[in-house]
Amino acid sequence: MPSCCNHRKTWPVAAAVVAAAALTAAGVLLWVPRAAADDNPSGRIISEILPVGNHVHTAEQIRQVMHARPGIAYEEAAIQEDVRRLNSTKWFTPGGIQILTVKEPDGRVRVIVKVSELNGVVQDIVFLGAQHGVGDLPKLCGVRKGEPMNPMANEMGRVAILRKYQDDGRYFATVELVEGKKPGDTRVVYQIVEGPKVKVAGIDFYGVDKASTARLRQQLVTKKQFAGIMGGQFNPASMEVDRQKLIEYYEALGYLDVQVTPEVVQTDDVSHVRVAYHIAEGSQYRVAGKQINGVKSYPEDKIEALADEMKPGDRYDRRLTEANKARIKYFYGNRGNNVAVEERRYADPNQPGVVQVHYDVLNDGGVPDRVGRVTIEGNTVTRDSVILNQLDLRPGQVLQYPAVEDARMRLARLGIFDPEDPPTVEVVQNEFDSPLKDIRVKVRETRTGSFMLGGSFNTNQGVTGNITLNERNFDILRFPTSLEDFRQGRAFRGGGQEFRLEAAPGTQFQRYSATWRQPYLFDTPFGLTVSGYYFQRGYAEYNEERVGGRFTLDRRLDAIWRASVTARIEGVGINGIPPDAPASISEDYGNHFLFGVRPGVTRDTRDSYVYPTTGSVFDAGFEQVLGDYTFPVGTVEYTKFLSNKWLAREDGSGKHVLGLRTQVSVAGSNTPVFERFYGGGIRSFRGFTFRGMGPFENGYAVGGTFAWLNTVEYQIPIMANDKFHFVTFCDHGTVERSFEIRNYRVAVGAGLRLNIPALGPLPLAIDLGFPLNKGPFDKGQTVNISVGVFGSQ
């Protein structure tokens, strides 16, 4: 009975508490409409943050997610960011967060967070039918056990899983959300039908009239399966990328109204599709005129002269307008002005196919920016100095904006940072002084060591293997202090130096070397390269062994000029000389010591190191050699590349290239046989065997002290991808005993060049050479071949 009585006494109290809470909540909600009508709360001090409508999570849990706090000013942007944070918790229904404010009598503001919570909890996640990539699916769907049941998040997970399967080439995959559609569900169940990996059986173009379908294929990310077994994986997302690339290609040709519609065409085989691109080319536009707007700091005619790539009457070319914009931006940027340049096109309705081009220069403020602080983020192993040496940006100097992009590219070319997340160099406002702009560099380090296996064959030196160990971020002074330094990859790493070990055994030739290079010696513009090597080769006249070292100090003078000084110390052994060899060979039998110093300069303006089409290379040096022999050696080499845009395709590809090369070498009369000049072979003088032209005695090549070798080569692309070329050439020149011309050789021929990415950095070259004029004992050779194959890991 007492318990019964106590129960009856407690009930009215509990009822009163519930009623009071209900009235309070009702009062708050009745209060809310008036709150919306109050003055703008921005800038007012927050008095309280009051969550309402929450039943699962406490008010304090909600407040902890938010950054807004009592006592600080109310800012709308900050409150919206808090809403984003609350949504990211997945505690609430979509759109279930509402922020309301109430002005207090003292001028402060009360913030009411009205929420609608998710009540169910995920107890299990199931992937039915999944066979591939099962381990990635929980992360992809973004759903976790114990989280509130959120049907919208579950649907987003379904879409993410489907996209992943399609990205992996399973175009016909289906993913259905079977359970988890309702807030009251307890399981999230995905029904998956993976389907086969789909390959691209073919790519078709419809509506193409003015363009080359072969060149259109080169623009595509989507590729056809090769030989029915390799490549060709289909990804539907790539079709939109292809569509944009095709539009850009056509706009470069002046077709500004082009429309491209991709289509997936199913085949009888469910594991293959055909991809079709329907193209409406439209008219080709020409330029009526140009106009530059927004120029304030410089004479308009000076800026107009920069945009001279396209003239009235020329075919419109998007690539040229981009070049015009880049030149204007470069001009301003070099003077510390970070302007934007936008292009606008106006078509004249009364003149079809004609367009007026306007360039708008934005933010021409006139006051040059200067470099403030330079900060570096993300380098845990690499020293700051390695990165700073690539920037060429120092506090206080005028901020040359093109140097910012140059710095980013140089950092990327170092090869010590993640290519998937390449280095960034950002310009940010300095908070202390408006003309100052801070430079923020962000990098992400990656594996910098590599192991390469490969080989090559050419008619000069036979078959040669190649084994290479290379570290691109070496530090010769960072000794390990513990085993942890090895495990963490800190030992001998982080200095931006390069260390390379190479072994090249071969049938006729072998070489072993170790090379260390510091590109910025003591953080100066000077670079130092040190190498030690062992070399062995058998010639018809003798066997040669060399062991020695080289030390090169170099400095880049500007973008195209470089100066260097090289010292070499060598021991040279000559043996295996035939009994009937002349004295000019046999007298150099034995072991010899050489010490040489060679200053030199190089000028390089090529547009590409692999297949240059314009520019030139000039290299000159003079070496004085001392030791067992004393003699000078001087060499000058010049190569020029010329191309004619009128012989290229309309889109600028397919250039015909004329290459001209001349090399003059002179040595002293005391030069030993193993230091003299020889001609012949694929990289010297085609149509002759290796060392098969020049002075001979008793049928043995004895080399010369004067050589003048020249090449004229004409290169024509055969394929639309510009990776396969036909060449014709004329090699002419001579190698003589002294500074004279007695037997001038001439050879003509033709060949093929094939650049196969799978074969690594060396292309395939096949040349047929035919001597027209020979010396009395020269040895001819019609076929010259060179091919290299490399792989790395």
Side-chain angles (χ1 to χ4, degrees), residues 605-617 639-649 652-661 686 711-718 722-730 751 753:
T605 62
R606 289 174 295 176
D607 61 345
S608 169
Y609 293 118
V610 180
Y611 283 118
T613 62
T614 60
S616 62
V617 182
T639 305
K640 177 70 174 177
F641 300 95
L642 303 166
S643 61
N644 190 328
K645 67 178 183 179
W646 302 111
L647 294 177
R649 304 185 187 101
S653 65
K655 293 179 180 178
H656 293 208
V657 180
L658 175 65
L660 306 171
R661 173 180 171 270
R686 289 157 291 191
T711 294
V712 179
E713 185 170 286
Y714 193 76
Q715 179 176 284
I716 303 171
I718 298 175
D722 287 351
K723 293 181 179 178
F724 190 35
H725 296 78
F726 170 77
V727 299
T728 60
F729 61 86
C730 174
R753 303 286 183 272

Side-chain angles (χ1 to χ4, degrees), residues 60-115:
E60 186 57 30
Q61 286 177 314
I62 294 173
R63 292 191 191 101
Q64 287 177 354
V65 175
M66 302 175 65
H67 285 189
R69 295 287 184 269
I72 67 173
Y74 181 99
E75 296 294 341
E76 187 63 35
I79 291 294
Q80 293 305 317
E81 181 63 20
D82 279 343
V83 172
R84 187 194 65 77
R85 291 189 184 95
L86 289 169
N87 276 318
S88 68
T89 64
K90 301 180 182 178
W91 294 346
F92 310 106
T93 62
I97 301 172
Q98 186 178 4
I99 302 295
L100 304 163
T101 61
V102 177
K103 180 181 176 184
E104 302 278 21
D106 59 2
R108 295 185 299 170
V109 63
R110 179 178 299 180
V111 178
I112 301 169
V113 185
K114 184 182 177 183
V115 298

Side-chain angles (χ1 to χ4, degrees), residues 225-241:
Q225 187 177 28
F226 178 72
I229 54 174
M230 296 174 56
Q233 179 171 304
F234 176 64
N235 185 345
S238 66
M239 290 193 297
E240 176 57 25
V241 177

Side-chain angles (χ1 to χ4, degrees), residues 657-669:
V657 180
L658 175 65
L660 306 171
R661 173 180 171 270
T662 185
Q663 180 185 39
V664 178
S665 304
V666 180
S669 58

Side-chain angles (χ1 to χ4, degrees), residues 199-458:
K199 301 289 186 176
V200 178
I203 301 173
D204 304 307
F205 296 94
Y206 298 98
V208 176
D209 181 31
K210 305 298 183 183
S212 161
T213 55
R215 286 298 299 164
L216 291 179
R217 293 181 194 279
Q218 298 305 311
Q219 316 307 313
L220 303 179
V221 175
T222 303
K223 300 298 181 184
K224 175 185 174 182
Q225 187 177 28
F226 178 72
I229 54 174
M230 296 174 56
Q233 179 171 304
F234 176 64
N235 185 345
S238 66
M239 290 193 297
E240 176 57 25
V241 177
D242 290 340
R243 190 181 76 86
Q244 292 297 331
K245 286 183 173 291
L246 290 173
I247 289 175
E248 291 174 4
Y249 179 80
Y250 267 101
E251 286 186 350
L253 298 178
Y255 295 92
L256 302 182
D257 299 328
V258 65
Q259 295 182 6
V260 179
T261 305
E263 179 190 9
V264 179
V265 181
Q266 296 187 17
T267 65
D268 294 336
D269 178 4
V270 294
S271 62
H272 288 82
V273 297
R274 297 189 70 87
V275 178
Y277 295 93
H278 301 271
I279 300 175
E281 294 177 329
S283 301
Q284 190 176 45
Y285 281 76
R286 295 197 169 273
V287 178
K290 71 179 180 191
Q291 181 175 318
I292 299 180
N293 308 310
V295 177
K296 301 175 183 177
S297 303
Y298 303 98
E300 288 191 12
D301 57 347
K302 189 169 188 176
I303 305 302
E304 288 180 357
L306 299 172
D308 61 350
E309 283 287 340
M310 285 192 310
K311 297 177 175 58
D314 287 351
R315 171 179 61 81
Y316 177 87
D317 190 329
R318 181 174 177 175
R319 293 166 304 175
L320 298 183
T321 63
E322 291 296 324
N324 286 339
K325 289 162 58 179
R327 263 197 302 275
I328 296 172
K329 190 174 176 65
Y330 186 89
F331 177 86
Y332 275 93
N334 255 353
R335 291 156 178 79
N337 302 120
N338 187 27
V339 301
V341 183
E342 294 183 355
E343 175 197 355
R344 289 181 291 132
R345 301 190 295 257
Y346 297 94
D348 188 344
N350 299 320
Q351 290 183 281
V354 175
V355 66
Q356 181 81 20
V357 180
H358 287 205
Y359 300 102
D360 294 334
V361 179
L362 309 178
N363 307 322
D364 182 359
V367 179
D369 295 330
R370 292 186 175 273
V371 179
R373 296 167 300 190
V374 179
T375 59
I376 302 172
E377 302 174 9
N379 55 318
T380 58
V381 175
T382 305
R383 299 183 188 274
D384 284 355
S385 59
V386 174
I387 297 172
L388 291 173
N389 285 331
Q390 302 297 326
L391 295 188
D392 197 23
L393 296 164
R394 299 293 181 265
Q397 73 180 37
V398 172
L399 176 52
Q400 296 180 319
Y401 282 91
V404 175
E405 177 61 19
D406 290 344
R408 186 196 65 78
M409 295 178 64
R410 284 197 295 270
L411 287 171
R413 283 197 296 265
L414 286 178
I416 64 177
F417 302 118
D418 190 350
E420 300 297 326
D421 186 12
T424 61
V425 183
E426 301 173 287
V427 178
V428 296
Q429 179 63 49
N430 184 292
E431 67 270 25
F432 299 111
D433 194 357
S434 58
L436 291 179
K437 299 292 190 296
D438 293 340
I439 306 298
R440 182 167 59 203
V441 182
K442 293 182 179 181
V443 298
R444 182 178 179 183
E445 293 172 321
T446 187
R447 187 182 70 174
T448 54
S450 62
F451 173 67
M452 292 182 288
L453 289 174
S456 63
F457 168 78
N458 67 52

